[in-house]
Structure formats: structure tokens, C-alpha cells
Amino acid sequence: MNQLKVGILNVAYSPNLGDGLIAECLRHGLASSPAQLDPHFIDLAGRESFSQGLQSKKRLNAVRSMLPAFALGVASRLYLALLVRFRLRPFYRRKMAGLDAVILGGGNLLADQDLNFPKKIHGALMEAARLRLPVYLYGVGVSDDWSPTGRQLFLEALGACDLRFIAVRDARSATLLARALGPAQRDIVTVLDPGVFAALALPPVAQEPPPPDGVARIGVGVMSPGELQYHGLSSLEDHVLFTFYLDLLANLGARGAQVRLFTNGSPEDRAFAQRLSRAFNEGDPARAWWSDVSERIQTPTDLVNVIGGCTGIVAFRLHAIIAALACDKPFVALAWDKKVGAFLDEVQRPGALAEVSPSSAPSIVDRLLATPAAPAPLSSDACAQRSLRSVHRLAALIAPPREPHGPQEAAV
């Protein structure tokens, strides 16, 4: 029997490699299921490689920097409308040709920042509807930032396509989506983010020797103030975040830890990490206990390798935290978006969240270097197996087991 071809519709080649991590996990789960589906990525932004995603983000940032603030919104929306109509819809149509089903899956996709996801998802699902493809919504996050236009686009797209199944990644997302659907409400299932089985989909490979006995190697995940502000955290000013990171590095060094500065790949985050590196090296450029490994991380596999080589991490980015959980590493998640707390609730680790303030670095270091706490109620392995089983059930919905048609076939 031929494998069913399935399109995974998300931002697989985003410069934020956490999105690619989700896509790789979904692909692994679908292909490893008893249904053995043949999954293919369809990037919502029309990208076909990680390098392409990084270059397009840099070009977009360069254009934005040349526009006055009052023109940014109008220019962005005009550009997006033209992009979807003339490039992305033909791209979706081409990628969906010959498919048997489409999964809109993974990441905080039902969110509205300058109509980015509403426009792209609307275009993609209308193409799926035109091709009469069944659509499965799986493992997505839902935000409460929908504009009236964004809401209209999301609801029109979900109503037009042959939507067979809805699964979101946390209870908060389920509540927000149920509220948005209103009278058209459908059954909504909650599943764990597929990234929690990253260590199965992308087994980490050591990139350097382990630290000496008794020495902790702590990964510090950097997120830039510009990215935090774009995603809604306007209260954390540049100088506060910069000072926090420098204090965190100094405190870790004073406690005898090795430090690996890293990012999830965003060019803004990488640039901010370089700023931190230069500032931290000014006093002592020969510090042997720390390094910036950001440039080593070019793919989701690289991200898992770096995090898997640490004894613990502290980070803002959700999928740095999820990768740490997948690799069974202690972590402190820095508060910035409600989706982080929602995920920690799902995996029964709400105490791992920490607020960033001018004086919070020492307490975060204490938590990272403390004597190991009692095991969490839901282990990393239990999270991974639960999420993998959910993806296998999704595969079974798409390709139900075939009943034998006669004695000879039944005996095979």
C-alpha cells in the first residue's frame, strides 16, 4: 500500500530554530508511526532552507530600519498582501499538489502580529480548501492578540477548509480558541508540544568533552530586547536586559560554572549575543570558562546538540526550554510571554519560571546550581512518550488501519 503524503504547514525554516525543531519532531512522529506517513514541510513564509530564512529576515530588518515609524504598519501590510497573493498562494498550491492531507501544526501559529499569520494561514487553508484536502490542526499555540481583521481571516480559513481535527498545545490555548470559535465551536483536544520528544527525533551528539566532575556547564540563551518588545514585552528596556545578562554571566563564573552563550538563531538575538560577548570580554579577554557558541547553531539539530551538552540552561525562548526538558536537563525559564507559563503548567513545572529584574541574576544562579531537587511529577521521558503517542494517534486519524478484505489477505 502506498504511503499517504502529508504536508506539515508551519514555519519549518524560520530563523528561530525552535520552529524548525517542532517541524522535525512532527515529521519524525508521523514517519515513525504505524501508519508510516510520508511528511513534507510547507513553510508558511515560502522558505525552503534555514539559510534562506535567515537571509530573508535580515533583508526585512534592513528595509524596516529605513522606514519612518509612522509608515511601518502601512508598508508592512501592503507588502504582506502582495506577498501572499502573488508569491505565497502559488507556492502553497505547488507544495500541496499530490498531497493526501495537510497538518497545520506546531508553534504559536494562531497569533496576530501585523496580520502575519492570519494572512498566511488564510491563504494556505484556502488553497487546501480549493484542492479539497482534509486539514488537521495539531499542537498549535493560540494567543489573545487577534485584531478584528485577524480574527475574521482565521475564522474564514478554518470554516472554509475540511477541518477534521483540532489539537492545541496547552489549556490556555484551548480556552482562547474555544472563545474565538464561539457558536462554531468544535471539539478541541490538548496535546503536549511535539518538541518534548526532540531527543528522540534529533538525538544530541556531544560537540565538546564533558566538563570536569563537579563543574556545571550552563547554557545561557540570549533573546534581544527588540525581539522581546516585538512580541509584546515592552517593559524590559535594553539596558536592564543587558545588565541582567552581564550579571548572570559574572555570577555563574564566580560560582565556578562553565558558560555557553547561545541563541535559537534569530539574527537579532545573535547580534545581541555578540554585543554581550564584546562587553564581557573587555575586562578579561582570556576567560577560559565561557564562550559564545551562537554561530555553531545553524539548524535545529545544532540547537539540540548544544543544549544536550549542558548540565542546565536559562533562557527566554520557549523551545530552548522545551529542548532542555527533552534532553532531561534542569532549566530556568525567563518570563516574557504567557505561552511559557502555559507550557510549564502542562509539564507540571510551574516553579521553573523566573522574572527578570536588575537583582534577579544571583537567585537564578542559585536555582541552576542547587542540589538536584526531587523528580518532577511528570518526567522528561513520560512527556516525550505521551507526546509521541499523540502524534501517532494523529497519524492513525489521517491513515486509519486498513481492514483485510478476504481470507488470503487476512492470513498474510
Side-chain angles (χ1 to χ4, degrees):
M1 181 173 133
N2 292 333
Q3 290 179 309
L4 294 186
K5 295 178 69 173
V6 177
I8 300 175
L9 184 65
N10 58 18
V11 280
Y13 297 115
S14 166
N16 176 8
L17 298 171
D19 294 309
L21 177 66
I22 304 166
E24 292 289 357
C25 289
L26 262 177
R27 176 160 65 179
H28 171 84
L30 295 167
S32 66
S33 74
Q36 296 183 323
L37 301 177
D38 181 16
H40 301 262
F41 294 157
I42 307 173
D43 188 284
L44 278 164
R47 300 165 291 214
E48 303 206 53
S49 71
F50 292 110
S51 59
Q52 183 185 355
L54 189 60
Q55 291 306 314
S56 62
K57 184 73 180 288
K58 287 179 177 177
R59 286 195 297 270
L60 182 59
N61 288 342
V63 172
R64 280 177 173 166
S65 68
M66 293 187 290
L67 291 173
F70 70 86
L72 270 177
V74 174
S76 295
R77 292 191 180 203
L78 177 60
Y79 169 77
L80 183 61
L82 295 173
L83 178 71
V84 171
R85 180 175 179 181
F86 293 108
R87 182 167 119 64
L88 292 183
R89 288 196 65 155
F91 172 82
Y92 302 146
R93 194 177 307 136
R94 174 169 58 85
K95 287 288 188 177
M96 290 180 186
L99 294 182
D100 296 290
V102 169
I103 299 167
L104 177 64
N108 204 46
L109 297 180
L110 296 186
D112 182 2
Q113 282 149 346
D114 301 325
L115 294 180
N116 182 46
F117 282 141
K119 285 275 191 183
K120 291 172 181 175
I121 289 173
H122 180 271
L125 293 189
M126 296 306 280
E127 289 300 323
R130 191 184 69 83
L131 294 169
R132 299 181 180 178
L133 292 173
V135 174
Y136 300 80
L137 194 65
Y138 188 83
V140 296
V142 183
S143 293
D144 57 1
D145 58 358
W146 295 8
S147 64
T149 303
R151 175 188 174 87
Q152 180 183 350
L153 288 167
F154 277 142
L155 295 184
E156 182 178 334
L158 293 173
C161 69
D162 179 11
L163 186 59
R164 302 281 182 90
F165 180 70
I166 303 176
V168 296
R169 69 183 182 187
D170 53 61
R172 179 174 179 271
S173 293
T175 299
L176 290 173
L177 186 55
R179 187 183 304 156
L181 292 175
Q185 187 172 148
R186 305 274 299 269
D187 289 338
I188 300 172
V189 176
T190 301
V191 295
L192 280 181
D193 189 292
V196 299
F197 59 83
L200 300 175
L202 305 168
V205 176
Q207 302 294 296
E208 57 183 321
D213 289 344
V215 175
R217 178 178 292 155
I218 301 300
V220 176
V222 172
M223 190 170 179
S224 73
E227 283 287 274
L228 287 165
Q229 289 160 12
Y230 179 73
H231 290 285
L233 188 63
S234 58
S235 60
L236 197 57
E237 297 177 2
D238 185 304
H239 72 278
V240 174
L241 186 62
F242 198 81
T243 300
F244 164 77
Y245 275 122
L246 293 181
D247 287 349
L248 184 64
L249 297 175
N251 273 271
L252 285 166
R255 295 283 295 273
Q258 292 184 358
V259 176
R260 299 295 178 263
L261 208 66
F262 73 93
T263 76
N264 277 32
S266 160
E268 295 90 345
D269 294 353
R270 289 184 183 183
F272 193 64
Q274 289 171 358
R275 276 184 60 198
L276 287 166
S277 298
R278 288 193 296 269
F280 198 63
N281 279 335
E282 282 177 359
D284 180 7
R287 290 186 174 97
W289 52 268
W290 96 289
S291 62
D292 180 353
V293 298
S294 296
E295 292 306 313
R296 190 190 299 171
I297 301 174
Q298 302 293 328
T299 68
T301 299
D302 299 333
L303 180 64
V304 176
N305 286 342
V306 166
I307 291 173
C310 294
T311 52
I313 77 158
V314 53
F316 283 102
R317 292 283 190 185
L318 177 59
H319 281 85
I321 297 303
I322 289 176
L325 174 75
C327 295
D328 200 22
K329 305 294 181 179
F331 58 83
V332 173
L334 301 176
W336 65 287
D337 188 301
K338 292 175 183 176
K339 67 185 180 184
V340 179
F343 170 75
L344 295 176
D345 287 342
E346 292 296 323
V347 296
Q348 300 179 26
R349 288 166 172 81
L353 193 65
E355 298 287 339
V356 172
S357 72
S359 60
S360 60
S363 64
I364 289 172
V365 172
D366 287 342
R367 290 166 66 175
L368 282 167
L369 302 182
T371 303
L378 190 60
S379 71
S380 296
D381 183 62
C383 291
Q385 294 302 324
R386 176 174 144 190
S387 183
L388 188 59
R389 286 193 299 269
S390 294
V391 176
H392 286 182
R393 285 194 289 270
L394 170 66
L397 288 175
I398 297 170
R402 197 163 57 108
E403 294 292 334
H405 292 292
Q408 185 176 3
E409 187 176 357
V412 172

